[in-house]
Amino acid sequence: MRENDGRKLGRKTLEELRIRTVRRILEEEVRPDEAAETLGLARSTVYGWLTAYRTGGWDALKERKAPGAVPKLSVEQQRALFKLVAGRDPRQLEFDFALWTRERVRELIRREFGVKMHVTAVGRLLRRLGLTPQRPLWRA
């Protein structure tokens, strides 16, 4: 990775860099190639900023939150899962043990919705729903 790599800069700093660079190109009539070379950026990066400005104005150059991954379960499916798990015993849904573990909820999601999820993702989903997985007591 280069020393002046833009990925090391903060979001606010990158926003300011985009706005200043495009403003310089428009107002001072600097060629995009020169602006890219001066900043140590790729030409395609600066031309991408110009395209974004031309299609969306200054707002297109503003900082935005990263979108993140698309959830595997829809909001309706999450509600249905909450209703299935909250207040029910796993044995009512033909499981062999009376505790809702992450693995058991994972199996329920696969069985009811046909969606495969990793155990840690199930734990995060349960936390978002306000539920906690149950752990069996370990006795010597």
Side-chain angles (χ1 to χ4, degrees), residues 28-44:
E28 298 175 20
E29 299 179 1
V30 175
R31 288 189 10 244
D33 296 349
E34 291 175 12
E37 189 177 329
T38 302
L39 296 170
L41 298 170
R43 288 179 42 221
S44 59

Side-chain angles (χ1 to χ4, degrees), residues 1-137:
M1 196 180 300
R2 294 185 339 203
E3 195 172 308
N4 64 346
D5 193 348
R7 292 174 290 186
K8 292 182 180 181
L9 300 174
R11 291 179 186 271
K12 210 58 177 157
T13 307
L14 284 172
E15 174 187 329
E16 189 63 33
L17 183 65
R18 286 190 294 268
I19 291 171
R20 284 184 181 193
T21 303
V22 171
R23 186 168 281 135
R24 185 168 174 233
I25 291 169
L26 297 174
E27 292 174 1
E28 298 175 20
E29 299 179 1
V30 175
R31 288 189 10 244
D33 296 349
E34 291 175 12
E37 189 177 329
T38 302
L39 296 170
L41 298 170
R43 288 179 42 221
S44 59
T45 302
V46 175
Y47 279 106
W49 295 347
L50 277 173
T51 303
Y53 167 74
R54 288 181 182 134
T55 58
W58 294 111
D59 287 340
L61 300 175
K62 297 266 184 196
E63 166 190 13
R64 284 186 295 278
K65 184 180 178 203
V70 177
K72 289 192 173 190
L73 294 179
S74 68
V75 174
E76 294 82 22
Q77 290 174 324
Q78 290 179 25
R79 282 190 197 122
L81 177 66
F82 183 85
K83 288 178 183 176
L84 283 171
V85 173
R88 282 206 177 159
D89 189 319
R91 292 176 291 194
Q92 292 173 311
L93 297 171
E94 301 176 7
F95 287 105
D96 59 345
F97 197 63
L99 290 178
W100 283 116
T101 61
R102 293 182 309 170
E103 289 81 9
R104 187 136 311 116
V105 174
R106 175 186 182 194
E107 175 61 28
L108 179 66
I109 291 170
R110 191 193 58 71
R111 196 166 74 185
E112 293 293 321
F113 307 113
V115 175
K116 292 182 180 180
M117 293 180 74
H118 194 272
V119 177
T120 56
V122 171
R124 285 192 298 268
L125 174 63
L126 288 173
R127 193 176 325 118
R128 270 197 314 272
L129 294 175
L131 302 171
T132 57
Q134 299 169 334
R135 295 188 186 116
L137 292 175

